[in-house]
Amino acid sequence: MGADVVVLSPKGRVDHATSEGLREALAPHVARCAGGGDHVVLDLAGVEYISSAGLRVLMLAAKQAKAQQG
């Protein structure tokens, strides 16, 4: 079975109140991108605002993906 490309499209605001929800939603996808697994693409066109808390979630997800050769 080959790798799939998963496009995730969060919408609205990503701030202190919503960043944990984004982290929880991203987690299973980031886990599946380990070592040649799925490819995850984030389409942020629908995001109206992203705070430093939201950017931290994205940074940590990218760091995890890189650490697991994703």
Side-chain angles (χ1 to χ4, degrees):
M1 182 175 188
D4 290 323
V5 175
V6 178
V7 179
L8 304 173
S9 303
K11 303 224 181 305
R13 295 177 58 88
V14 182
D15 54 24
H16 181 73
T18 60
S19 62
E20 182 62 20
L22 177 61
R23 187 196 65 75
E24 291 173 357
L26 281 176
H29 299 287
V30 172
R32 283 198 304 268
C33 77
D38 291 351
H39 300 281
V40 177
V41 175
L42 288 175
D43 175 1
L44 299 175
V47 174
E48 300 166 4
Y49 170 81
I50 188 164
S51 72
S52 60
L55 291 174
R56 181 175 188 274
V57 168
L58 298 181
M59 180 192 71
L60 291 175
K63 184 176 179 179
Q64 179 185 344
K66 183 176 180 179
Q68 61 192 25
Q69 282 77 46

